Coordinates of all heavy atoms in Angstrom, one line a residue:
E9 N 104.1 97.2 96.2 CA 103.6 96.9 97.5 C 102.0 96.7 97.5 O 101.5 96.0 98.4 CB 103.9 98.0 98.5 CG 105.4 98.0 98.8 CD 105.8 99.0 99.9 OE1 105.0 99.0 100.9 OE2 106.8 99.6 99.8
T10 N 101.4 97.2 96.5 CA 99.9 97.0 96.4 C 99.5 95.6 95.9 O 98.4 95.2 96.1 CB 99.3 98.1 95.5 OG1 99.8 97.9 94.2 CG2 99.5 99.5 96.0
D11 N 100.5 94.9 95.3 CA 100.2 93.6 94.8 C 100.0 92.6 95.9 O 99.0 91.8 95.9 CB 101.4 93.1 94.0 CG 101.2 91.8 93.3 OD1 100.2 91.1 93.6 OD2 102.0 91.4 92.4
G12 N 100.8 92.7 97.0 CA 100.5 91.9 98.2 C 100.9 90.4 98.1 O 100.7 89.7 99.1
R13 N 101.4 90.0 97.0 CA 101.7 88.5 96.9 C 103.2 88.3 97.3 O 104.1 88.9 96.8 CB 101.5 88.0 95.4 CG 100.0 88.0 95.1 CD 99.8 87.5 93.7 NE 100.3 88.4 92.7 CZ 100.3 88.1 91.4 NH1 99.9 87.0 91.0 NH2 100.7 89.0 90.6
T14 N 103.3 87.4 98.2 CA 104.6 87.0 98.7 C 104.8 85.5 98.4 O 103.9 84.7 98.6 CB 104.7 87.2 100.3 OG1 104.5 88.6 100.5 CG2 106.0 86.8 100.8
I15 N 106.0 85.2 98.0 CA 106.4 83.8 97.8 C 106.9 83.2 99.1 O 107.7 83.9 99.8 CB 107.5 83.7 96.7 CG1 106.9 84.2 95.4 CG2 108.0 82.2 96.6 CD1 107.9 84.3 94.3
A16 N 106.4 82.0 99.5 CA 106.9 81.4 100.7 C 107.7 80.2 100.4 O 107.3 79.3 99.6 CB 105.7 81.0 101.6
L17 N 108.8 80.1 101.1 CA 109.7 78.9 101.0 C 110.0 78.4 102.4 O 110.1 79.1 103.3 CB 111.1 79.3 100.3 CG 111.1 79.8 98.9 CD1 112.5 80.2 98.5 CD2 110.5 78.7 98.0
G18 N 110.1 77.1 102.4 CA 110.6 76.4 103.7 C 112.1 76.1 103.5 O 112.5 75.7 102.4
H19 N 112.8 76.2 104.6 CA 114.2 75.8 104.5 C 114.4 74.8 105.6 O 114.4 75.0 106.8 CB 115.1 77.1 104.8 CG 116.5 76.9 104.5 ND1 117.5 77.5 105.2 CD2 117.2 76.1 103.6 CE1 118.7 77.2 104.7 NE2 118.5 76.3 103.7
L20 N 114.7 73.5 105.1 CA 114.7 72.4 106.0 C 116.1 72.0 106.4 O 116.9 71.8 105.5 CB 114.0 71.2 105.4 CG 112.6 71.4 104.9 CD1 112.0 70.2 104.1 CD2 111.7 71.8 106.1
N21 N 116.4 72.0 107.7 CA 117.7 71.5 108.2 C 118.9 72.2 107.6 O 119.9 71.7 107.4 CB 117.8 70.0 108.0 CG 116.7 69.2 108.7 OD1 116.3 69.6 109.8 ND2 116.2 68.2 108.1
N22 N 118.7 73.5 107.2 CA 119.7 74.3 106.6 C 120.3 73.6 105.3 O 121.4 73.8 105.0 CB 120.8 74.6 107.6 CG 120.4 75.6 108.6 OD1 119.6 76.5 108.3 ND2 120.8 75.4 109.8
E23 N 119.5 72.8 104.7 CA 120.0 72.1 103.5 C 119.1 72.3 102.2 O 119.6 72.5 101.2 CB 120.1 70.6 103.7 CG 121.2 70.3 104.7 CD 121.5 68.8 104.8 OE1 121.1 68.1 103.9 OE2 122.0 68.4 105.9
H24 N 117.8 72.2 102.4 CA 116.9 72.1 101.2 C 115.8 73.2 101.3 O 115.2 73.4 102.4 CB 116.2 70.8 101.1 CG 117.1 69.7 100.9 ND1 117.8 69.4 99.7 CD2 117.6 68.7 101.7 CE1 118.5 68.4 99.8 NE2 118.5 67.9 101.1
Y25 N 115.5 73.9 100.2 CA 114.4 74.8 100.1 C 113.2 74.0 99.5 O 113.4 73.2 98.6 CB 114.7 76.0 99.2 CG 115.6 76.9 99.8 CD1 117.0 76.9 99.6 CD2 115.2 77.9 100.7 CE1 117.9 77.8 100.1 CE2 116.0 78.8 101.3 CZ 117.4 78.8 101.0 OH 118.3 79.7 101.5
V26 N 112.0 74.3 100.0 CA 110.8 73.7 99.5 C 109.7 74.8 99.3 O 109.7 75.8 100.1 CB 110.2 72.6 100.4 CG1 111.2 71.4 100.4 CG2 109.9 73.1 101.8
A27 N 108.8 74.7 98.3 CA 107.8 75.6 98.1 C 106.7 75.4 99.2 O 106.4 74.3 99.5 CB 107.2 75.5 96.7
L28 N 106.1 76.5 99.7 CA 105.1 76.5 100.6 C 103.9 77.3 100.1 O 104.1 78.3 99.4 CB 105.5 77.0 102.0 CG 106.7 76.4 102.7 CD1 107.1 77.2 103.9 CD2 106.3 74.9 103.1
K29 N 102.7 76.9 100.5 CA 101.5 77.7 100.3 C 101.4 78.7 101.4 O 101.4 78.2 102.6 CB 100.3 76.8 100.1 CG 99.1 77.6 99.7 CD 97.9 76.7 99.5 CE 96.7 77.5 99.1 NZ 95.5 76.7 98.9
Y30 N 101.2 79.9 101.1 CA 101.2 81.0 102.2 C 100.1 81.9 101.9 O 99.9 82.4 100.8 CB 102.5 81.7 102.1 CG 102.6 82.9 103.1 CD1 102.7 82.7 104.4 CD2 102.6 84.2 102.5 CE1 102.8 83.8 105.3 CE2 102.7 85.3 103.4 CZ 102.8 85.1 104.8 OH 102.9 86.2 105.6
S31 N 99.3 82.2 102.9 CA 98.2 83.2 102.7 C 98.1 84.0 104.0 O 98.4 83.6 105.1 CB 96.9 82.5 102.4 OG 96.5 81.6 103.5
V32 N 97.7 85.2 103.8 CA 97.6 86.2 104.9 C 96.2 86.2 105.4 O 95.3 86.2 104.7 CB 98.1 87.6 104.5 CG1 97.9 88.6 105.6 CG2 99.5 87.5 104.0

């Protein structure tokens, strides 16, 4: 939990996953 890095994905139209850039 101290790492703090989360991977973000987008899920489009319940069909495709795409990588997203995510920052807190």
Side-chain angles (χ1 to χ4, degrees):
E9 292 187 36
T10 61
D11 185 348
R13 293 185 288 175
T14 299
I15 295 171
L17 296 177
H19 193 211
L20 305 174
N21 301 322
N22 290 321
E23 291 186 25
H24 298 286
Y25 287 97
V26 294
L28 300 173
K29 183 175 180 180
Y30 173 72
S31 60
V32 177

